[in-house]
Amino acid sequence: MSDRILVIGSGAREHTIGATLLAGRSVDEVFCAPGNPGMVLDGIRLADLNPADPAAVVDFVHRNTIDWVFVGPEQPLIDGLVDQLTAAGIPAFGPTKAAARIEGSKDFAKALMRRHGIPTAAYATFDNLESARQHVRAHGAPIVIKADGLAAGKGVTVALSLDQALEALEQIFVDRRFGQAGARVVIEEYMSGQECSLMCFVSGDRVWPMPLAQDHKPAHDGDKGPNTGGMGAYSPLPQFGPDLAATALETIVRPTVRAMVEEGTPFTGILYAGLMVTDQGPKVVEFNARMGDPETEVVLPLLTSDLAAGIRTLMDGGEPNFTWCQDRSEICVVLAADGYPGYPEKGARVPLIGPGKDLQAYYAGVAGSVQDGLTASSGRTAVVRAGAPDLRMAQERIYTLLDGLDTTGLFYRHDIGHKALETT
Ligand code: AMP
Ligand code: GLY
C-alpha cells in the first residue's frame, strides 16, 4: 500500500497532520488544499484549489489519483464535504454533515448530552433577548453565555458579573455581533476546574483515545488578555493520573458515540471532547468534530504507529493499532502576529525552523516562500514545538530556541505548561 492523500485545510494543524501522514511507511505523497507555503518544508505538496468547492475537490482527487481525503477544519465538515466526497465514491475521513452538528450547533450537542445523561453544565437555550435576560437575572453570575453556531471560538462570554452577562446578551441580540450565529443563545451554568482536551479516533461506537492535551486560550502570560484560537499546548498532562482519561472515556466519549449511533447520526472521524475537570469529575465544555488546534501539534508527534495505515484500517471497518510514546513530553508555542486576535498586522518575518525530531515549526498564516522567506499573513503564523523526556525539559528547549530568535512583529506566551508545573 502506498497512499496518496489529500488533506483539506491550511493551518498548523493540517501541517502536522500532513507531516505525520508522510512519516508513515504506507504513504507516498500528501497534498494539502489550499495549504500554506511553510508546509513544503516537510515535503507536503500544495493543491491550488478552493476546498469550499466540492466539485473542485472531486476533480483534483481524480486528476491526481488520490486514494483518500482527510478533512481537517470544521467548516467543510459542517458544510457536508465528507457526504459529497462519499457520494462521488471517494473515501473521506471525517464526520458527515449530520454528525458534525455536534460541533456546529451547541444546542444540538447540549440536547444530545441531556438526553443521554452525559455530564456537562446545565443549560437553557433562548432565541429572544427578553427571556434570555430573565433567565440570567434569575440565576445570577458567574454564568456563561454562548452564541449558538460557529463563532470562531469567539462567541463565548464567561460572565463573572450580572452586568457582563447582560451586556453579552445585548451584543448577541441587538448588535448582532456574531451575525446569524447569534440568532440563538445557549446559557450555561459556570463550571470551575482545569480544562483539558481528549481527542479520539472514532468509527461508529468504536473509540481509540489519544493522549490528553491542554490548550492555552488567553492571548497573554498568566492567562490574561482576550481569548484566542489557542496560544500553545502540551501533552501528556502530568497533573492528572490515568484515571481521568479512563473516566472521561467511560462517562463521556463512549456514551456520546453510542448515542450518535442510536440516533441515526453515527460519527466517524476525530471527536474532540473539551473537558472541565471539576470536583465531581470531568464534564463536557464543548465537542469538536475535528482535531484541536494547537493540540494536534503536540499530540501527533507522540504517535509511534503509522497514522495513514491506522485511519485506512478504521475506515475499512478493521481494528487499527494506534500506539503512543509513553516517555516523552511535547510542548508547542504559537507565534502570533502583533495585534492578534483583534487586528493582526501582516508582513512580519516568520522564522524558518526544522523539521527535526526535537524542534520544529508547523506553519499557519504565512505568505511568501521557504526560499525567499515567510511573512505573517494572519493572526497565528506558526506553531513551534519541542519534544523532550519531560515537560520541564521540553519547556526549556522551546524557550531557549524562541528567546534567541528575532521575533519582531510577533509575540508568544512565555508560560505554556504552567498549570502542570504549578500542580505537580
Ligand atoms: P467553548 O467555545 O464552548 O469551548 O468555550 C470557550 C471557553 O469558555 C472554554 O474553553 C472555557 O474556558 C470557557 N467556558 C465555556 N463554557 C464554560 C462553562 N460552562 N463554565 C466555565 N467556563 C466555560
Ligand atoms: N484548541 C481548541 C480548538 O481546537 O477548538
Side-chain angles (χ1 to χ4, degrees):
M1 188 167 74
S2 117
D3 279 358
R4 292 161 63 81
I5 304 166
L6 174 64
V7 178
I8 302 292
S10 64
R13 169 182 53 206
E14 286 75 27
H15 185 165
T16 314
I17 292 167
T20 310
L21 289 169
L22 277 170
R25 263 186 301 193
S26 68
V27 178
D28 204 25
E29 203 140 36
V30 170
F31 293 83
C32 194
N36 72 65
M39 291 180 173
V40 302
L41 271 178
D42 276 285
I44 297 166
R45 295 182 60 183
L46 304 187
D48 184 17
L49 68 93
N50 174 8
D53 177 359
V57 179
V58 170
D59 182 55
F60 182 91
V61 166
H62 289 320
R63 273 190 295 112
N64 293 279
T65 54
I66 298 291
D67 294 290
W68 58 277
V69 181
F70 188 127
V71 185
E74 60 273 22
Q75 196 64 57
L77 292 167
I78 288 165
D79 292 344
L81 182 58
V82 167
D83 310 57
Q84 281 155 320
L85 292 173
T86 307
I90 298 165
F93 184 58
T96 60
K97 181 175 182 159
R101 273 192 303 166
I102 197 157
E103 170 163 8
S105 165
K106 289 190 189 288
D107 190 33
F108 172 87
K110 293 297 281 191
L112 182 96
M113 287 188 268
R114 181 180 276 175
R115 283 196 296 280
H116 295 271
I118 292 155
T120 187
Y123 80 105
T125 305
F126 301 92
D127 59 9
N128 74 83
L129 178 60
E130 212 28 63
S131 46
R133 267 194 189 133
Q134 274 174 17
H135 179 87
V136 162
R137 287 208 180 92
H139 283 259
I143 196 160
V144 181
I145 315 281
K146 301 186 173 185
D148 191 35
L150 278 187
K154 292 166 196 148
V156 177
T157 302
V158 179
L160 300 178
S161 70
L162 192 58
D163 280 350
Q164 203 188 348
L166 293 170
E167 193 186 310
L169 291 178
E170 193 103 351
Q171 282 180 348
I172 290 168
F173 286 110
V174 182
D175 306 345
R176 292 274 158 172
R177 188 160 155 214
F178 304 105
Q180 241 342 85
R184 268 195 307 182
V185 71
V186 174
I187 302 184
E188 278 186 21
E189 160 203 12
Y190 172 82
M191 300 184 285
S192 77
Q194 214 179 112
E195 279 178 77
C196 67
S197 313
L198 174 59
M199 299 188 282
C200 298
F201 296 94
V202 174
S203 171
D205 60 2
R206 302 185 308 148
V207 173
W208 296 267
M210 305 185 203
L212 289 171
Q214 189 171 62
D215 188 7
H216 299 60
K217 286 186 177 161
H220 303 301
D221 290 3
D223 290 325
K224 302 272 185 338
N227 252 350
T228 69
M231 293 298 292
Y234 61 104
S235 179
L237 307 183
Q239 67 271 47
F240 300 123
D243 285 1
L244 175 65
T247 305
L249 267 184
E250 292 318 313
T251 62
I252 292 170
V253 180
R254 291 192 198 283
T256 299
V257 299
R258 274 199 300 266
M260 294 195 72
V261 171
E262 274 170 33
E263 298 200 3
T265 53
F267 188 101
T268 296
I270 309 286
L271 183 66
Y272 167 123
L275 305 174
M276 187 73 80
V277 184
T278 74
D279 294 344
Q280 297 109 46
K283 293 187 181 183
V284 177
V285 177
E286 63 167 347
F287 281 119
N288 292 323
R290 49 159 176 93
M291 298 201 73
D293 196 355
E295 288 93 332
T296 301
E297 290 88 314
V298 288
V299 169
L300 285 187
L302 293 169
L303 184 72
T304 50
S305 55
D306 182 326
L307 177 61
I311 292 175
R312 267 283 204 146
T313 304
L314 179 158
M315 288 198 290
D316 293 342
E319 191 63 39
N321 188 20
F322 296 105
T323 55
W324 305 93
C325 191
Q326 303 295 335
D327 53 3
R328 192 172 161 82
S329 188
E330 287 284 336
I331 190 168
C332 74
V333 176
V334 173
L335 288 181
D338 282 349
Y340 177 72
Y343 298 95
E345 288 165 30
K346 293 187 180 166
R349 246 325 145 119
V350 178
L352 286 172
I353 302 161
K357 179 175 177 287
D358 293 335
L359 275 172
Q360 161 162 37
Y362 299 117
Y363 291 94
V366 288
S369 68
V370 164
Q371 292 75 29
D372 300 329
L374 297 171
T375 56
S377 66
S378 73
R380 291 195 291 182
T381 68
V383 181
V384 185
R385 63 153 273 267
D390 68 34
L391 178 59
R392 228 174 257 283
M393 288 164 77
Q395 218 182 22
E396 197 177 302
R397 184 165 277 164
I398 197 132
Y399 285 118
T400 303
L401 171 82
L402 292 177
D403 295 344
L405 291 174
D406 177 5
T407 51
T408 311
L410 306 171
F411 73 97
Y412 56 93
R413 279 184 62 158
H414 303 81
D415 63 348
I416 301 303
H418 70 99
K419 285 196 182 121
L421 300 177
E422 281 155 16
T423 43
T424 46

